Amino acid sequence: MKTEQTKRRIVVIAGRPNVGKSAIFNRIAGGRVAIVHKQAGVTRDRLMKEVSWDDKRFWLIDTGGISSADGSKNVDAVQKGIKEQVEASLEGAAVVILVVDIEVGLMPLDLEVAGMLRERGCDVVVASNKADNSDRDKDAVEFDRLGFQVFPVSALHNRGFEDLMQVILEGLPEVDEVTAKTPLRVAVVGRPNVGKSSYVNRLLRSDRVIVSDIPGTTRDSIDVPFVIGKGAQARHYILIDTAGIRHVGKIDSSVERFGRFRAENSISNSDVVVMVLDADVSPTAQEKKIISLIIEEGKGCVIVVNKWDLAETGKAEHRLGLLRAMPFISHCPIVFTSAKTGYSIRRTVDVIDMVAAQTMLVIPTGILNRTIVNAYSKVHPPAIGGKMLKIYYATQVGCAPLRIRLFVNDIRIVADGYKAYIIRILRDQFGLEGAPVLLQFRARKNERNPRSRIRKK
């Protein structure tokens, strides 16, 4: 049984295949995040996203359809993996949304899944999906047999979600908003004449941002407190507005050293860095160095392409050009803006907030290990010196940046390419757009340790 102390602000969506779990995920998340398709089994891996409903934040997890909740039945490897992923997702979850299909009625597998959730002590609410009109609501009574509170909803027509979400929000534990005590620091950096100061001014006038009446100053930068959101779950920030960093070819060595120091200081003291580029100018060598420094320091990163009103290319073409010039920014969100007209300034606020949330993500240990199990099973690490890497166990040991510690048989045979592969899998699984991920490898001498979980299959 779960204890209240182990529960976090996590909501898991579960159920048998093709009942509309992904459509409900998209409806609650407020966008088309999950792939919605009539074919059963499209969602095989989890999706995890921080969402806000009535200004209350929580993490929402979508899972693959459970084809059998009874472990004694013969199931293929994919179905078995989905069931294991669902079980891992339940770790720390405060509420589970069991999705059923009101059109086809109660199915034996619905009862099996409900029984599995009950055995694990989950707090469950039933979303009876596809109740597209009020005439269908009465059919939801059939699902009372599951033993949980039932809500007729329609993901397609956005019906019934207010009542469902009210109960879910009441079931979440109280939030401990650490940013009220220690605000997240956002540095805005860039070379001169990219419109950085104009962007900062526009940003602080956004209707999503509340600015403190008394900004403070620190040497060569200005610290401006601001808040995104409302109430107890608002995220608190300190905006660090820095002077422009000039191109190395236009300054003497002493000034260039000071500019480098100023950039390093601003970046190292931040949690998220907004790098402002000029839409009308290709990335310079100095800008590439600054972005490389952001990544090396393990900071969240948002690329803001300013002066978009002057651009002569389309967004897709410009984005592709940036990625060709700087392939190391492929994980960073890119936002095209115009500080002059105000174009997409509000979107940068949302993206900063999203990246900040990703840098603070705490991945449940069970989900983390199942993700790495799957990654290891799909692609085995290369043998080095005739020895194969074995990964026994993984755990998250820190946030901002996300630090994942992996216990292995020999840290000397961890290939850089395989590190990059694991990081890519973690990004694909959990989003982590713009968020840094650092892997720490530790040797475990005893290969037969009872905690060993991840092995070559």
Side-chain angles (χ1 to χ4, degrees):
M1 294 287 289
K2 287 177 185 263
T3 62
E4 290 298 324
Q5 288 73 19
T6 63
K7 292 184 179 180
R8 298 170 47 218
R9 296 181 69 86
I10 296 175
V11 177
V12 174
I13 300 175
R16 61 182 178 81
N18 207 27
V19 291
K21 295 184 300 299
S22 293
I24 286 180
F25 181 92
N26 289 339
R27 180 62 68 182
I28 297 175
R32 193 176 178 83
V33 182
I35 300 172
V36 180
H37 197 280
K38 290 184 179 181
Q39 178 183 350
V42 171
T43 304
R44 293 183 175 179
D45 296 319
R46 295 166 304 274
L47 288 169
M48 189 172 185
K49 181 182 180 183
E50 189 195 41
V51 301
S52 178
W53 190 283
D54 289 343
D55 294 322
K56 295 179 175 62
R57 302 176 190 267
F58 58 92
W59 289 93
L60 184 66
I61 301 178
D62 187 20
T63 61
I66 303 174
S67 297
S68 174
D70 186 344
S72 64
K73 292 187 177 180
N74 294 325
V75 295
D76 62 28
V78 172
Q79 293 172 345
K80 182 180 178 181
I82 290 174
K83 182 174 179 292
E84 290 174 345
Q85 290 177 2
V86 173
E87 291 174 338
S89 300
L90 299 176
E91 178 185 335
V95 181
V96 179
I97 303 175
L98 172 55
V99 183
V100 295
D101 187 338
I102 204 170
E103 285 187 335
V104 300
L106 183 64
M107 303 293 288
L109 187 52
D110 295 326
L111 292 166
E112 282 189 37
V113 176
M116 181 192 78
L117 297 175
R118 188 177 295 105
E119 287 176 2
R120 284 156 180 76
C122 300
D123 293 336
V124 180
V125 294
V126 176
S128 182
N129 192 30
K130 304 181 186 179
D132 296 340
N133 54 65
S134 57
D135 291 339
R136 286 187 176 178
D137 289 353
K138 62 181 182 299
D139 297 331
V141 175
E142 180 182 7
F143 297 100
D144 288 343
R145 289 179 54 193
L146 297 173
F148 305 115
Q149 193 170 0
V150 180
F151 296 88
V153 301
S154 170
L156 180 63
H157 297 286
N158 194 21
R159 292 189 67 248
F161 282 92
E162 288 301 328
D163 292 340
L164 172 68
M165 292 307 302
Q166 181 179 348
V167 172
I168 290 174
L169 295 176
E170 290 173 353
L172 298 178
E174 292 296 322
V175 64
D176 181 15
E177 184 46 81
V178 296
T179 66
K181 305 170 186 175
T182 309
L184 293 158
R185 298 179 66 83
V186 179
V188 180
V189 301
R191 61 179 179 81
N193 301 320
V194 295
K196 183 173 62 63
S197 296
S198 299
Y199 165 73
V200 169
N201 291 335
R202 277 280 190 177
L203 174 68
L204 295 178
R205 291 202 301 270
S206 168
D207 57 5
R208 283 291 312 279
V209 172
I210 303 171
V211 184
S212 171
D213 293 333
I214 309 175
T217 59
T218 57
R219 292 191 177 180
D220 303 296
S221 64
I222 300 174
D223 287 7
V224 182
F226 69 100
V227 179
I228 296 178
K230 300 177 183 178
Q233 291 189 293
R235 264 197 277 266
H236 298 254
Y237 296 85
I238 297 291
L239 181 68
I240 309 171
D241 182 14
T242 62
I245 304 170
R246 299 183 65 197
H247 190 281
V248 63
K250 298 182 179 180
I251 53 180
D252 59 40
S253 59
S254 61
V255 175
E256 197 252 327
R257 281 196 300 270
F258 182 71
R260 177 77 176 182
F261 168 78
R262 183 168 52 202
E264 291 177 351
N265 189 55
S266 298
I267 292 169
S268 64
N269 288 331
S270 66
D271 298 295
V272 177
V273 180
V274 176
M275 179 68 189
V276 182
L277 303 177
D278 189 331
D280 211 30
V281 179
S282 298
T284 66
Q286 181 75 348
E287 288 171 327
K288 294 177 183 179
K289 290 179 181 178
I290 296 171
I291 298 176
S292 295
L293 179 61
I294 295 169
I295 295 172
E296 290 170 8
E297 288 283 338
K299 305 300 179 180
C301 184
V302 177
I303 307 297
V304 169
V305 181
N306 193 31
K307 303 184 183 180
W308 191 243
D309 53 305
L310 303 178
E312 297 180 355
T313 61
K315 290 182 182 178
E317 182 181 351
H318 198 99
R319 187 187 304 273
L320 184 60
L322 289 178
L323 293 177
R324 285 173 177 165
M326 301 179 291
F328 45 84
I329 68 167
S330 60
H331 69 286
C332 301
I334 301 173
V335 187
F336 299 92
T337 70
S338 171
K340 180 179 180 180
T341 66
Y343 174 72
S344 279
I345 295 298
R346 173 170 176 150
R347 171 161 165 72
T348 67
V349 178
D350 295 332
V351 173
I352 291 170
D353 195 39
M354 179 269 292
V355 171
Q358 298 286 11
T359 65
M360 298 188 296
L361 173 63
V362 177
I363 305 173
T365 304
I367 296 179
L368 175 63
N369 278 275
R370 281 306 310 167
T371 300
I372 296 180
V373 163
N374 293 340
Y376 191 93
S377 299
K378 292 176 181 177
V379 178
H380 297 313
I384 298 179
K387 192 173 184 179
M388 177 71 75
L389 177 72
K390 298 177 182 178
I391 306 176
Y392 297 121
Y393 186 73
T395 184
Q396 183 175 349
V397 295
C399 298
L402 275 75
R403 296 186 295 280
I404 308 297
R405 184 169 296 166
L406 298 98
F407 295 93
V408 301
N409 58 331
D410 191 342
I411 61 175
R412 295 171 297 180
I413 59 174
V414 181
D416 289 340
Y418 204 70
K419 290 181 186 178
Y421 165 69
I422 292 176
I423 290 175
R424 185 172 69 253
I425 291 296
L426 292 172
R427 291 194 184 282
D428 291 344
Q429 187 66 64
F430 303 110
L432 304 180
E433 190 177 8
V437 181
L438 304 182
L439 301 182
Q440 302 174 350
F441 290 86
R442 296 289 185 271
R444 185 183 293 281
K445 294 182 180 179
N446 182 8
E447 295 191 14
R448 296 182 180 179
N449 189 287
R451 296 181 73 185
S452 298
R453 298 186 181 183
I454 304 173
R455 302 262 187 166
K456 179 180 177 181
K457 296 183 178 180

